[in-house]
Amino acid sequence: MLTPCRSNSAHTSLAATLLAPATVAGIGISVLLHGVAFWVVVLGGSGITGATKPDRHVDAAPGIAIVLRPVIAEPPPQAPPPPLPQPPIEPPTTPPPLRVPIAAPAAARAAKVAAAPSENAKPAPRYIAPPPPAPSPTPPAPATVSFAGLSSTGEVAKGVVYAVDCSGPMITSMPLVAEELLRSIAALSPEQRFSVVAFHDAAGSAKSRAFSAELIAPSRDTLVRLAKWLDGLDVGGSSNPMDGLRASLSLTRGHKPAVVFLLCRSISRTEGNAWQLSGQDTLRELDLLNPIDPATGKRGAAIKTIQFIEPDTSRTLEKIAREHGGDESPESSLKVITPAEMRRK
């Protein structure tokens, strides 16, 4: 036990106070209470938690203050949350073991040898672009036929008929007619068809006769036969060109459009041997035999007229060429072969 300084009254007084029984008892009680409070807090029985300021407790002894600091209790440990269910983990799939046949090395060597280019091997063909399309074939040239300088082209030249006047006045013109006929027919194309009609009015013979009863294709054989047929014609008597036109137009019925060459002397002659029909009646009958097609506006046959020796003073042949000669001008459907021209030929 400490002994106060007797010379200091303050110390003596303080020591007396501290050593007083009441003071000692108060201190013991205070210590006891604080100990109980401490254990209550530790054991969870105290409500002193979360205090931010210290509480001051003054003991019964004057001048002595004991500071009690709150004790913050630790939160009780909590149980960990249950783990989340995890998706089932599939075991990794392992590829099947590679089975290598026993002959694999030999097969691999054979494949390697086959892949190696040989000395005689040809290089792989490169892509070759296809050739450009061939140009469309040019349309065939229009069928053409000509006789003594008169010609007809296009559709009217598919069928050709030559109507030849075999009357007496034509006897000097027949060699030229036969020569021009053979030349004109020889120039026809294989697609064209032709025939020749001879007409005259003689006693004991028909007014008209045809080399072929139907239009035929030109050939070397037909030319030979036609030359013999022309040599055998009986030239003489009078003639009516309408007989030749009727027979010629009847041959073109299955081969329209066509062209008819009318070869004759003039209708009005010095001897007075005229056609049996007048010019007006002739044109009227020709309109019936060779009408205009309403669908095309054209006639079935184009008629070209060739006059020998002198022109026709009645102008009937000119009118026929104008109305039945086709789309060409009358000059392209009418021609006069004079004696001077016949001598030049």
Side-chain angles (χ1 to χ4, degrees):
M1 181 174 292
L2 298 177
T3 304
C5 180
R6 303 245 182 216
S7 62
N8 193 338
S9 59
H11 288 175
T12 304
S13 177
L14 177 61
T17 302
L18 293 174
L19 296 176
T23 300
V24 175
I27 292 173
I29 294 172
S30 178
V31 172
L32 178 62
L33 292 176
H34 280 82
V36 172
F38 173 76
W39 287 107
V40 169
V41 172
V42 172
L43 296 177
S46 174
I48 304 173
T49 57
T52 58
K53 294 182 179 181
D55 295 333
R56 295 182 178 269
H57 298 275
V58 181
D59 293 330
I64 300 175
I66 300 174
V67 179
L68 299 178
R69 296 184 180 276
V71 179
I72 299 175
E74 293 290 337
Q78 297 181 359
L84 297 176
Q86 298 293 333
I89 300 177
E90 298 181 357
T93 58
T94 57
L98 181 63
R99 297 183 178 181
V100 181
I102 298 177
R109 287 194 300 270
K112 184 176 181 180
V113 171
S118 62
E119 296 179 357
N120 299 328
K122 296 181 180 180
R126 295 179 299 174
Y127 172 75
I128 300 176
S136 57
T138 56
T144 304
V145 60
S146 64
F147 185 93
L150 294 183
S151 62
S152 180
T153 60
E155 294 181 340
V156 295
K158 290 183 178 180
V160 184
V161 180
Y162 305 86
V164 181
D165 182 4
C166 293
S167 62
M170 283 288 293
I171 191 168
T172 57
S173 305
M174 287 305 294
L176 174 62
V177 171
E179 179 182 351
E180 190 65 17
L181 277 174
L182 295 175
R183 185 208 63 78
S184 176
I185 296 171
L188 296 178
S189 66
E191 291 77 18
Q192 292 176 287
R193 299 294 183 267
F194 82 97
S195 187
V196 179
V197 174
F199 64 91
H200 70 148
D201 190 359
S205 63
K207 293 183 178 181
S208 65
R209 54 182 297 196
F211 168 67
S212 174
E214 59 182 10
L215 301 187
I216 59 176
S219 65
R220 185 179 183 86
D221 179 65
T222 56
L223 289 176
V224 172
R225 291 192 293 110
L226 177 61
K228 294 181 179 180
W229 185 80
L230 293 173
D231 289 340
L233 287 178
D234 183 14
V235 181
S238 62
S239 66
N240 180 8
M242 278 303 300
D243 295 334
L245 289 176
R246 293 188 190 101
S248 299
L249 291 174
S250 66
L251 289 175
T252 64
R253 288 175 182 173
H255 301 273
K256 293 181 179 180
V259 61
V260 175
F261 288 100
L262 176 60
L263 320 175
C264 66
R265 289 289 297 270
S266 63
I267 294 176
S268 179
R269 301 173 187 169
T270 56
E271 298 88 355
N273 185 10
W275 284 17
Q276 297 174 4
L277 296 175
S278 64
Q280 185 176 0
D281 293 337
T282 300
L283 293 175
R284 186 180 297 110
E285 183 177 355
L286 281 179
D287 283 338
L288 296 176
L289 297 175
N290 190 33
I292 296 176
D293 186 355
T296 62
K298 299 181 180 180
R299 298 184 185 273
I303 301 176
K304 312 289 183 178
T305 58
I306 296 95
Q307 305 174 43
F308 288 87
I309 307 302
E310 70 271 358
D312 180 23
T313 58
S314 69
R315 304 185 66 178
T316 302
L317 294 177
E318 180 183 347
K319 294 176 182 177
I320 293 175
R322 183 183 300 276
E323 297 186 16
H324 295 264
D327 295 336
E328 298 88 351
S329 62
E331 291 75 14
S332 63
S333 300
L334 172 66
K335 183 173 183 178
V336 178
I337 300 179
T338 63
E341 188 174 359
M342 292 178 64
R343 285 193 296 269
R344 288 196 301 269
K345 291 181 177 297

